[in-house]
Amino acid sequence: LFFVCYRALIFPLLIREGKPTPFFTFVLALLFCAFNGYLQGRTLTTYATYPPGWLGGSHFITGFLGWLIGMAINIHSDHILRNLRKPGETGYKIPRGGMFEYVSGANFFGEILEWFGFALACCTIESFAFALCTLFILSSRARQHHK
């Protein structure tokens, strides 16, 4: 819930300036997020069953830690990206600090780690499918940004 609020409400308000997002892209992203949110929520509340002690098991703990670390990397990387340029400054700058010292798309890496952690913690086909979609979409974007 925190990440959904962060990504949908807080993050957009923190962005200074940027390229406008095409309306069609916005609508597709909105539909995907709404459908995925429904699918994940419905699966976890209606269909998924877990044995007693699941929350203390290695799958859940490892997945939860992966999700938490991925979210921290993602939020910190977004902070670095938002503060690359001073107000009114234009042009490309290479981000430095945090995970950007190790990968050129640290924000993408964080989000991929986050959702694979979620998938491991939940152990559902739907959460794994979402993690794979995230991997394919964001690794493609990361490759473009790297170039």
Side-chain angles (χ1 to χ4, degrees), residues 43-100:
T43 298
L44 292 173
T45 59
T46 306
Y47 301 110
T49 57
Y50 299 101
W54 177 260
L55 295 179
S58 61
H59 277 97
F60 181 81
I61 291 172
T62 304
F64 178 76
L65 288 174
W67 174 82
L68 193 62
I69 292 167
M71 182 170 44
I73 291 169
N74 193 1
I75 290 172
H76 184 251
S77 300
D78 284 345
H79 173 76
I80 291 171
L81 290 171
R82 275 194 314 273
N83 294 296
L84 274 177
R85 294 180 206 85
K86 295 180 174 89
E89 196 175 34
T90 60
Y92 184 78
K93 287 194 173 185
I94 296 174
R96 300 280 183 218
M99 285 299 292
F100 284 108

Side-chain angles (χ1 to χ4, degrees), residues 102-126:
Y102 304 100
V103 293
S104 59
N107 53 328
F108 301 129
F109 170 76
E111 192 158 346
I112 291 167
L113 176 60
E114 186 177 344
W115 296 117
F116 271 95
F118 176 78
L120 183 60
C122 296
C123 283
T124 64
I125 291 171
E126 293 81 3

